[in-house]
Amino acid sequence: MQRGALRPLAFQGAEVSRSRHQIAALVTERLSPRHGALFAEPLFDDRKDSIDWYGHVSGDITPLAQAAPEAREQAEQTIGELAQDIAVLAQELQTQDDPHHRTVGRFLELALEYPGEDYIYLVGGQPVILCWGFQQGGPEPVRESLLRYAAVRASAAKPPPSAPPPGPAVVGGAGGAAILAHPPMPWW
């Protein structure tokens, strides 16, 4: 992959993707090996301004976009579950008093961003993300998060439209953001 097409995400001057070993080790230890295997390993060639990406699982390699519908649906569900778990861990770390933990939490949060679906592969059925911690280049880059798959999974679990949703309703917002609309509360 030529780096010019993509922009690396960084925090405090450090590119997120250059911390793959620490990120994968943390999520593997705190969550599971499947969480760690989600992140392909970048091999940087700064002379050529390129990055090769390697997965730590074996099996047949299929781009997500070319996967059979059942395999794609299962992969999207898995990505949603893994991303949600990682996001919860990131939030947990960011609320701690230790500044190191807060920094690691921010790195995890940025690691969930990727340039788009073209960078997701299935390797032996395991989703593997290439170019995580990057966004599309350009004057107005669009930021994509693996959490979009968690949102898809959550919307699939919603009751049918004829049934009233329990608790607050979710309504659309600008740019696909979800806004909670709370029912009127009694004043007493």
Side-chain angles (χ1 to χ4, degrees):
M1 175 210 81
Q2 289 300 119
R3 287 184 58 153
L6 301 176
R7 183 178 302 167
L9 298 174
F11 182 65
Q12 295 183 343
E15 290 181 15
V16 174
S17 60
R18 292 190 183 263
S19 299
R20 192 263 175 201
H21 293 287
Q22 294 88 339
I23 289 170
L26 176 67
V27 298
T28 296
E29 178 185 315
R30 297 278 299 268
L31 299 170
S32 82
R34 291 194 76 199
H35 290 81
L38 184 64
F39 301 105
E41 181 173 359
L43 180 60
F44 297 90
D45 186 341
D46 293 328
R47 290 177 297 138
K48 294 182 184 175
D49 197 31
S50 67
I51 306 171
D52 293 327
W53 295 85
Y54 297 91
H56 288 272
V57 290
S58 59
D60 293 333
I61 301 170
T62 307
L64 180 64
Q66 296 175 13
E70 308 81 38
R72 181 184 174 101
E73 185 177 325
Q74 178 61 44
E76 289 176 349
Q77 180 178 348
T78 300
I79 293 167
E81 291 168 359
L82 298 175
Q84 184 64 42
D85 293 345
I86 293 167
V88 168
L89 177 59
Q91 285 298 324
E92 175 187 309
L93 291 169
Q94 289 184 69
T95 60
Q96 296 191 10
D97 292 333
D98 183 345
H100 174 72
H101 287 141
R102 290 194 306 268
T103 299
V104 171
R106 180 67 177 138
F107 265 70
L108 283 179
E109 187 175 68
L110 291 172
L112 292 173
E113 295 195 28
Y114 71 116
E117 189 176 280
D118 292 344
Y119 298 90
I120 301 176
Y121 288 80
L122 300 179
V123 182
Q126 162 74 37
V128 177
I129 314 301
L130 281 61
C131 302
W132 54 270
F134 282 81
Q135 66 184 15
Q136 290 289 343
E140 293 185 32
V142 175
R143 293 180 80 159
E144 292 264 359
S145 173
L146 293 172
L147 288 172
R148 73 178 263 215
Y149 293 102
V152 168
R153 182 174 62 110
S155 68
K158 285 184 185 174
S162 60
V170 177
V171 296
I179 301 170
L180 291 178
H182 293 279
M185 300 294 287
W187 61 270
W188 66 92

